[in-house]
Amino acid sequence: MNELTRIETTLKDWESDQEVRWCPGCGDYAILKAVQRTLPQIGADPANTVFVSGIGCSSRFPYYMESYGFHTIHGRAPAFATGIKLANPELDIWLVTGDGDGMSIGGNHTMHLLRRNLDCQIMLFNNEIYGLTKGQYSPTSRQGTNSPSSPLGSVDRPLSPCAFALGSGARFVARGFDVSKKLPEVLIAAHAHKGAAFVEIFQNCIVYNKDRFDDFAVPKGADDTQLWCEDGQPLLFAGGTKGISLDEPNCTLKIVDVVDGDWEAAHVAVHNTKNRGLAHMLIDLRITPQFADFPMALGVIYDDPRPTFEQSVIEQNAKAAEGKDANLAKLLGKGQTWTVEG
Amino acid sequence: MATLAAEKQAGQTAPEAVVVRFAGDSGDGMQLTGGQFTLSTALAGNDLATFPDFPAEIRAPQGTLFGVSAFQINFGSTAIETAGDAPDVLVAMNTAALKVNLPALKPGGLVIADSGEFTKRNLDKAKYDTNPLEDGSLAKWDLLAFDISALTLEAVKPFGLGNKEALRCKNMWTLGLALWMFDRPREPLHQWLKQKFAKAPELAEANIAALNAGHAYGETAEISGPLKQVHIDPAETEPGLYRTVTGAEAISLGLVAGAQLANLPMFFGGYPITPASAILHHLARLKEFGVTTFQAEDEIAAICAAIGASYAGQLGITSSSGPGIALKGEAMGLAIMTELPLVIVNSQRGGPSTGLPTKTEQSDLYQAVYGRNGDAPMPVIATRSPADAFECAIEACRIAVQYMTPVMLLTDGYIANAAEPWKVPDPASYAPFPVKFLTEKNDGENLLPYKRDAKGARPWIKPGTPGLMHRIGGIEKQEGTGNLDYSPENHQAMTDARKAKVDGIANDIPAQDVCLGEEGGKLALVGWGSTFGPIHQAVRRARRKGLDVSHIHVRHIWPLPANLGDLLKSYDKVIVPEMNTGQFKTVLRDQFLVDARPLNKTSGQPFQIAEIEAAIEQALAE
């Protein structure tokens, strides 16, 4: 995020004149609208906003935004973003990537951007499949996924993007899903975080991995399957009748029943976005087999800012240059020299 | 060339040039010794060229043949353009160094050896059955063997160093002897040692004592034996301020100058790789010149970040060697497609794959000119020497920003590490080429990010500019608007436009000159890159013998100078000496249908003058 003057815009102002070319019904449409809804709310300036992407369905995103946009090469968007931000730290950078782009071919760059803490928002659209290349299994596909490249089912174990992000040193980790009404809230929080803000967005690929997230992302039963994390609030779900509590003897989380709304009596944990240990446990829920019966943790799971990369680079550059004479002629003639007389 | 050995045979005393090779274990400090000897040579006013030759291992096991590190310097009172074919003097700090370097030594040359190192154990390691210092096998050379180790220990005794630390002063003892041999003052070295060991004055004193002891030994030993003091007159050079410069330094300085002439801050993305890292190291210390250096997580990220910085309005630069350049290929294609300026420096080394990391080769020319997917034309410039690297780096920056294109600058391991005297240029003597960013719509009410100017270049638009929001990417773009467009006629038109833009640079670079000889004749030697020195000297020698041969050295590898085809056709024969299997030869044949013949060497060592001279004589005898 940047502390710049708020600019008044509407959703329409953020729509480019380019025809959107995703498959009809693709979750990407909903994410596009959520972003176009978010930007006016945060007072973003289209001229100062840059969408940077890699390759894949999600990475077409910049073309549809009426802002600056750079559709780069497969997996490398974090590296481009780093150069852009170091060259002009005033720019507000949104990185758009997918599970293949950001976790497979570009995993290295994602890791290092998070480690360095470059100030930007990373939206990783996770549809657990390679869509643009016609449906091969991806690094987040569940074991046994049948696909053109795994006709007998994939044997690889999937990785969890949020666990990857935390492991890489991310200071902001959040989750949402394409059609969620709360997605703009999550994006606003990501934007408010100064530093690398990692947002995993579950996204429905209706052609190659249809309804993959229906077990928690459909309105029916959502109360029981979604755990919206809010800083300072108890971790409640199922309409407040259940909560997440610390299972101390086992050093893990457990589900507890809440009677008459008395969550304190039930020892429900209060979410603290600065608690890294808690974040590690929350992102495992519903994904790791032993927590399969838990709800999916959504919202801002971790948010604990640290100085950003570009800030540190700029400060160091300024300090190194302090009091030094940037005279090229002097630099060229530096060291031991001798004069040949005419 | 009159050399020490040759002069001695002729009974003369003042040679025009001398070649000295310092060789020792990779831990013996030979590169440091060579570097300081180079500086004292430059201060004495001699022209010079050097060739550092060191192993890929940082600290190879002591005493092994593969752990030998050498530094050769050729200096004289006439123009010196190569590090010399064969040494007149070999300083061997250990047994392995003698074994490895002896074959190169001129007959009648002088061997100075540390006899203290010729122990049974070291003889075994160097695979000697008997001690060469004693078995008469060195009869065709002059031999001066004495216990440098013991003499050094004796000299530094008063400073109470441990045995290991004391022996580390051996290289300074040797340098002291070399300074005496060539009549050089010791004071600059004293100053340098005091500065280098400012935090450990006892080490400075010990090293100075060792240096002085080596010098004194020379004075004493002169009385009897083969050791003689030699004085080389200063070379005739253009008046002005001089310093020594390595290729890596000159490129770094040239890039800083180029960015200043373009009026842009510089962003340098790099990843550690031999022999390119030195450029990253130099630039990392020049922040006050608006330089940001970024050590990326890999070669790909280094170039991508540089492209990102260019997109945002800085001059993006990246640098690597062959294997790293291979990794950067896809991103170069993106810079070509999106038409963003970028300079890519390739410090070539022996390949393929990891190849010979510390040895030199010119085998990345195909990679530079052709090595990308799709029709991806990109200008390529090759520097011929450390001093020339400065000019080439500026030229690369100019072409990049004026044509909105990535440019590859080819150098190599030899140029990167070699030092030569450099007449310090005046930055004010270079024509500035300030960049003008687009700040308002360029087609009435519309923005056309891919509208071309007379050069075929598109406008440079910085994100953050109000009202000029647009999208770019690697997908084929519509002419003018830059919007996605896969249509057949558009791809044809855009492919043609990208090619025409780069081809057009041929009209914006100097016509190819003949650097020695005439336009037209029996034979032309056409070189590029670091073969300049040996080709030039070989042609000079052949011409002195009355042979009709000329030297053409090409800086602009792609596009080639517009007159080059006609120039080449004005000779009966064309030979292309290069340190690869004939890559530039193939390009010349393809572009001009000339019968260019190859003269190739891929041993990891530069050409010797004699090798090229022989090829000239053979070609003219046919």
Side-chain angles (χ1 to χ4, degrees):
Chain A
M1 61 147 263
N2 292 70
E3 290 127 16
L4 290 173
T5 329
R6 276 184 69 92
I7 300 287
E8 293 304 321
T9 58
T10 64
L11 185 149
K12 287 272 164 215
D13 293 328
W14 292 94
E15 291 176 347
S16 80
D17 60 357
Q18 297 298 294
E19 190 190 338
V20 184
R21 297 192 192 189
W22 289 310
C23 307
C26 175
D28 288 353
Y29 284 94
I31 303 172
L32 178 63
K33 278 278 174 271
V35 172
Q36 289 168 337
R37 204 167 282 139
T38 302
L39 292 166
Q41 290 188 52
I42 57 183
D45 177 359
N48 207 50
T49 302
V50 188
F51 280 84
V52 185
S53 66
I55 293 291
C57 292
S58 60
S59 288
R60 296 296 183 94
F61 200 95
Y63 290 114
Y64 311 134
M65 294 297 301
E66 186 53 25
S67 68
Y68 283 92
F70 199 172
H71 180 212
T72 70
I73 48 179
H74 206 7
R76 320 302 173 198
F80 288 94
T82 304
I84 296 169
K85 190 75 181 178
L86 284 175
N88 183 358
E90 297 303 318
L91 296 172
D92 193 4
I93 297 177
W94 294 77
L95 216 141
V96 190
T97 184
D99 41 312
D101 188 62
M103 292 290 108
S104 198
I105 191 166
N108 189 33
H109 309 301
T110 309
M111 169 168 75
H112 289 280
L113 181 143
L114 293 170
R115 166 176 78 83
R116 295 189 184 108
N117 197 28
L118 187 88
D119 183 24
C120 66
Q121 295 73 243
I122 306 151
M123 298 189 289
L124 185 137
F125 299 6
N126 183 6
N127 58 15
E128 296 189 4
I129 209 79
Y130 282 94
L132 202 56
T133 50
K134 300 197 193 306
Q136 299 83 357
Y137 70 102
S138 89
T140 55
S141 294
R142 290 163 220 193
Q143 232 177 346
T145 297
N146 283 301
S147 81
S149 58
S150 56
L152 307 177
S154 60
V155 295
D156 325 17
R157 283 191 185 79
L159 69 70
S160 152
C162 286
F164 176 95
L166 274 178
S168 303
R171 308 301 301 181
F172 181 99
V173 174
R175 269 209 198 112
F177 57 93
D178 47 12
V179 295
S180 168
K181 288 203 164 50
K182 291 187 176 174
L183 185 56
E185 272 175 45
V186 175
L187 297 175
I188 289 168
H191 188 264
H193 175 89
K194 181 108 179 126
F198 184 85
V199 185
E200 177 185 17
I201 304 172
F202 297 108
Q203 175 247 322
N204 188 12
C205 172
I206 55 119
V207 175
Y208 296 110
N209 212 10
K210 195 170 185 304
D211 304 337
R212 173 49 81 192
F213 307 107
D214 275 9
D215 68 295
F216 67 87
V218 291
K220 196 178 167 215
D223 268 4
D224 296 332
T225 56
Q226 297 177 10
L227 172 70
W228 284 91
C229 305
E230 216 178 309
D231 193 35
Q233 298 299 313
L235 290 162
L236 294 169
F237 64 105
T241 63
K242 287 181 176 172
I244 302 293
S245 179
L246 192 64
D247 174 359
E248 284 183 34
N250 294 309
C251 256
T252 184
L253 297 180
K254 63 181 178 188
I255 295 174
V256 292
D257 289 318
V258 177
V259 183
D260 298 332
D262 193 350
W263 57 268
E264 280 175 307
H267 300 289
V268 171
V270 173
H271 187 46
N272 176 358
T273 51
K274 291 190 163 46
N275 185 336
R276 200 169 178 85
L278 179 63
H280 274 288
M281 290 196 274
L282 287 171
I283 56 170
D284 266 356
L285 303 184
R286 204 172 183 86
I287 290 179
T288 307
Q290 74 196 84
F291 299 112
D293 297 334
F294 282 63
M296 179 66 79
L298 298 162
V300 179
I301 295 165
Y302 183 64
D303 181 3
D304 189 9
R306 282 271 173 88
T308 67
F309 180 57
E310 72 282 1
Q311 197 183 319
S312 307
V313 169
I314 289 162
E315 280 168 16
Q316 194 184 54
N317 284 0
K319 207 172 164 203
E322 222 171 57
K324 280 192 192 156
D325 180 14
N327 182 321
L328 184 59
K330 274 191 194 159
L331 175 69
L332 298 183
K334 221 171 143 182
Q336 272 182 288
T337 55
W338 66 97
T339 304
V340 175
E341 304 295 344
Chain B
M1 187 175 60
T3 63
L4 186 61
E7 296 289 348
K8 207 164 56 179
Q9 279 164 355
Q12 297 172 357
T13 49
E16 279 182 1
V18 176
V19 181
V20 179
R21 187 183 291 191
F22 298 95
D25 212 52
S26 52
D28 279 344
M30 290 297 98
Q31 302 305 322
L32 199 73
T33 309
Q36 288 306 310
F37 188 72
T38 300
L39 200 58
S40 93
T41 303
L43 293 173
N46 297 136
D47 197 12
L48 66 94
T50 71
F51 178 44
D53 188 16
F54 44 85
E57 293 74 20
I58 300 299
R59 284 276 188 276
Q62 238 181 348
T64 54
L65 294 170
F66 62 87
V68 172
S69 175
F71 186 100
Q72 184 164 315
I73 176 169
N74 181 10
F75 56 99
S77 55
T78 56
I80 301 291
E81 267 133 355
T82 79
D85 283 5
D88 298 290
V89 179
L90 169 64
V91 180
M93 300 299 288
N94 74 356
T95 320
L98 179 74
K99 175 94 174 220
V100 170
N101 291 286
L102 195 60
L105 187 64
K106 239 173 243 171
L110 173 65
V111 179
I112 298 174
D114 179 2
S115 60
E117 282 285 323
F118 284 67
T119 58
K120 171 80 176 72
R121 191 177 142 82
N122 283 345
L123 288 166
D124 286 348
K125 274 196 206 167
K127 307 199 182 352
Y128 273 118
D129 295 329
T130 55
N131 188 343
L133 302 183
E134 293 162 0
D135 64 7
S137 64
L138 305 180
K140 65 171 168 168
W141 297 283
D142 279 338
L143 174 65
L144 202 68
F146 44 87
D147 196 340
I148 297 177
S149 303
L151 290 163
T152 304
L153 288 176
E154 183 63 30
V156 303
K157 210 173 180 179
F159 304 97
L161 305 180
N163 195 53
K164 207 171 156 190
E165 271 186 322
L167 279 175
R168 282 206 165 161
C169 300
K170 251 173 34 171
N171 61 339
M172 286 301 121
W173 194 98
T174 314
L175 183 58
L177 179 66
L179 292 179
W180 173 81
M181 275 183 77
F182 300 102
D183 195 15
R184 303 275 171 69
R186 279 167 287 164
E187 286 71 29
L189 269 301
H190 291 170
Q191 291 308 320
W192 174 74
L193 284 166
K194 279 179 188 156
Q195 216 178 342
K196 183 176 165 65
F197 295 110
K199 285 183 183 150
E202 72 283 2
L203 284 181
E205 290 306 319
N207 276 288
I208 288 170
L211 185 91
N212 290 343
H215 194 270
Y217 187 90
E219 283 172 340
T220 323
E222 188 186 21
I223 301 156
S224 62
L227 198 61
K228 293 277 178 288
Q229 196 172 34
V230 178
H231 181 83
I232 308 271
D233 288 328
E236 263 183 49
T237 38
E238 235 181 284
L241 183 69
Y242 283 79
R243 62 175 279 191
T244 60
V245 76
T246 66
E249 279 171 337
I251 282 186
S252 309
L253 294 169
L255 293 171
V256 171
Q260 282 208 345
L261 293 166
N263 197 25
L264 293 176
M266 181 210 296
F267 180 95
F268 183 92
Y271 182 78
I273 185 170
T274 303
S277 302
I279 298 172
L280 171 61
H281 303 168
H282 286 302
L283 289 172
R285 295 181 171 279
L286 298 176
K287 311 269 196 230
E288 67 270 30
F289 288 90
V291 175
T292 298
T293 54
F294 171 58
Q295 182 178 314
E297 58 271 27
D298 62 23
E299 296 284 2
I300 299 170
I303 184 171
C304 292
I307 295 171
S310 278
Y311 169 67
Q314 297 198 348
L315 179 56
I317 296 170
T318 189
S319 143
S320 189
S321 186
I325 297 293
L327 287 167
K328 296 181 195 288
E330 186 193 10
M332 283 179 218
L334 182 73
I336 291 167
M337 192 65 159
T338 51
E339 303 188 42
L340 286 168
L342 178 74
V343 176
I344 307 134
V345 183
N346 180 359
S347 300
Q348 299 169 91
R349 66 191 213 187
S353 186
T354 305
L356 309 170
T358 59
K359 309 294 177 193
T360 197
E361 209 164 272
Q362 297 180 299
S363 46
D364 295 348
L365 186 130
Y366 286 159
Q367 185 190 38
V369 176
Y370 305 121
R372 292 162 294 280
N373 64 302
D375 280 303
M378 188 171 80
V380 179
I381 298 175
T383 178
R384 64 169 66 159
S385 70
D388 182 58
F390 181 77
E391 313 283 328
C392 287
I394 292 175
E395 179 71 343
C397 295
R398 178 187 75 86
I399 292 176
V401 299
Q402 290 190 337
Y403 288 85
M404 295 293 283
T405 179
V407 177
M408 187 175 286
L409 173 57
L410 290 176
T411 173
D412 61 35
Y414 175 66
I415 295 174
N417 293 314
E420 66 178 13
W422 183 40
K423 190 177 172 209
V424 177
D426 176 9
S429 65
Y430 294 86
F433 40 88
V435 165
K436 211 167 162 276
F437 292 100
L438 191 71
T439 51
E440 48 195 41
K441 290 186 171 137
N442 58 350
D443 186 52
E445 286 297 288
N446 300 313
L447 169 68
L448 293 177
Y450 283 80
K451 186 178 172 178
R452 296 182 189 281
D453 65 12
K455 285 182 152 79
R458 78 176 188 95
W460 195 350
I461 310 164
K462 284 197 276 193
T465 311
L468 301 188
M469 286 83 73
H470 67 286
R471 277 63 56 191
I472 62 169
I475 298 182
E476 185 59 282
K477 291 166 297 299
Q478 195 175 52
E479 277 189 281
T481 68
N483 291 328
L484 300 194
D485 190 343
Y486 297 98
S487 69
E489 56 281 6
N490 181 68
H491 181 52
Q492 182 74 54
M494 287 298 271
T495 303
D496 294 346
R498 286 186 290 265
K499 181 178 186 309
K501 178 176 83 168
V502 172
D503 286 349
I505 296 169
N507 305 315
D508 191 21
I509 55 176
Q512 183 61 51
D513 62 347
V514 179
C515 56
L516 185 59
E518 298 83 28
E519 276 188 31
K522 283 189 180 153
L523 175 63
L525 260 64
V526 182
W528 66 280
S530 70
T531 51
F532 177 84
I535 296 176
H536 207 65
Q537 287 291 358
V539 169
R540 180 176 291 163
R541 287 189 199 175
R543 288 178 63 82
R544 273 193 208 149
K545 291 182 200 159
L547 298 177
D548 178 6
V549 56
S550 300
H551 178 198
I552 294 167
H553 215 76
V554 182
R555 173 187 280 185
H556 289 273
I557 304 295
W558 199 269
L560 291 159
N563 68 324
L564 183 61
D566 287 340
L567 180 61
L568 295 184
K569 284 171 188 163
S570 70
Y571 298 93
D572 298 343
K573 287 183 178 175
V574 171
I575 293 178
V576 185
E578 47 187 336
M579 293 184 288
N580 58 43
T581 56
Q583 299 188 9
F584 192 47
K585 173 265 305 169
T586 305
V587 173
L588 293 178
R589 284 177 167 230
D590 168 60
Q591 292 298 302
F592 304 125
L593 275 176
V594 291
D595 184 17
R597 300 288 175 90
L599 174 62
N600 305 129
K601 181 171 186 179
T602 56
S603 63
Q605 302 291 322
F607 271 107
Q608 296 203 334
I609 300 163
E611 291 168 338
I612 297 175
E613 221 182 335
I616 293 171
E617 282 172 14
Q618 197 192 339
L620 289 174
E622 273 168 11

